[in-house]
Amino acid sequence: MKLQFFKYQGTGNDFVILDNREGSFPKSDTQLVAKLCDRRFGIGADGLILLENDETTDFKMVYYNADGEEGSMCGNGGRCLVAFAHYLGIVDKETTFNAVDGLHYAEVEGDMVNLKMVDVDQVHEKPAYSFLDTGSPHHVQLVKDLGHFDVQKEGKKLRYGLYGKTGSNINFVEQEDEETFQVRTYERGVEDETFSCGTGVTAVALAMHTAGKTKANQVHIHTLGGDLAISFEQRAGGYTNIFLKGPAIQVYKGEIEC
Ligand SMILES: N[C@H](CCC[C@H](N)C(=O)O)C(=O)O
């Protein structure tokens, strides 16, 4: 079988994207997805995304982690898929699409995609960390000297130790100023540090706001792969109108025999 694929990246979080509007991709072939995402034996990516037809919106997003299992929401992947839909001519400057966590609205402006995330109803605050769901589960923890922090080792420990089999994505944070933070993320399903995580930095912005570390309603985040901006409104117990904005870039397209 020959597969036409596209490679995208959003602040260094990279994805194989396939146009599956005709429905020919073998969706339950976990090994195939894992192989396509493998950096030595395949194309190489943090995840794989299918663009599919949807009955009520412009398109449907189906997201798999690099391990081949279907994941929860992926913010950077969602932004890349919007850029892909724009490239295909399915959407113009604005779109609404369906993903695993529900409806998403997004705007395209050149290389930038501004993606509306699901509302967050609860931020669980513990003395040493916060936990919240921004479409995917996220642990958010402030650390010192993030540049030298062992994200892989500490992330793995928490991902399995604190959250068991289901696990969580683990974000380590250092504050730069009133509205700017640096973030490094250990991603569940990749089981490694990635260069950026969209739902992760969204979780960081909201957790830092809840903890009183920032009063800003727009927070800037530096990741290993680039900069993202998160804007939001607070409402009783949670947050609404949450937007994640940053670049979403097509890297190349190709064909693979599999
Ligand atoms: N990289 C993604 C998160 C993927 C979530 C996935 N690792 C899971 O928990 O299933 C993002 O930009 O939001």
Side-chain angles (χ1 to χ4, degrees), residues 227-239:
D227 300 341
L228 289 159
I230 299 95
S231 57
F232 50 86
E233 284 168 30
Q234 193 167 22
R235 61 155 200 218
Y239 294 90

Side-chain angles (χ1 to χ4, degrees), residues 13 63 65 71-77 136-137 169 187-188 196-200:
N13 202 188
Y63 178 74
N65 280 311
S72 39
M73 181 55 184
C74 177
N76 286 328
S136 279
N169 300 283
E187 261 193 58
R188 160 183 91 160
S196 169
C197 179
T199 48

Side-chain angles (χ1 to χ4, degrees), residues 17-125:
I17 297 189
L18 305 172
D19 178 355
N20 195 37
R21 282 178 293 176
E22 283 177 5
S24 55
F25 187 77
K27 290 170 74 167
S28 47
D29 193 341
T30 309
Q31 281 186 344
L32 173 63
V33 175
K35 190 186 163 201
L36 293 171
C37 292
D38 191 291
R39 296 194 187 279
R40 293 181 195 274
F41 296 98
I43 303 159
D46 295 326
L48 180 142
I49 312 170
L50 303 178
L51 183 140
E52 298 195 335
N53 288 322
D54 188 49
E55 274 173 23
T56 50
T57 67
D58 291 341
F59 59 90
K60 185 175 165 198
M61 167 177 178
V62 181
Y63 178 74
Y64 300 85
N65 280 311
D67 65 3
E69 300 289 346
E70 209 172 323
S72 39
M73 181 55 184
C74 177
N76 286 328
R79 295 189 312 97
C80 286
L81 199 63
V82 169
F84 182 55
H86 182 74
Y87 165 83
L88 291 179
I90 299 171
V91 308
D92 189 18
K93 285 188 163 51
E94 288 177 274
T95 180
T96 305
F97 66 96
N98 250 314
V100 64
D101 61 342
L103 273 187
H104 288 268
Y105 164 82
E107 298 159 350
V108 184
E109 211 187 296
D111 282 344
M112 301 294 277
V113 176
N114 197 15
L115 173 66
K116 189 168 189 221
M117 310 298 284
V118 289
D119 287 353
V120 170
D121 296 328
Q122 258 187 327
V123 179
H124 303 277
E125 286 194 280

Side-chain angles (χ1 to χ4, degrees), residues 159-173:
R159 178 258 191 262
Y160 289 104
L162 203 53
Y163 298 98
K165 193 167 180 287
T166 313
S168 173
N169 300 283
I170 312 288
N171 303 273
F172 298 107
V173 190

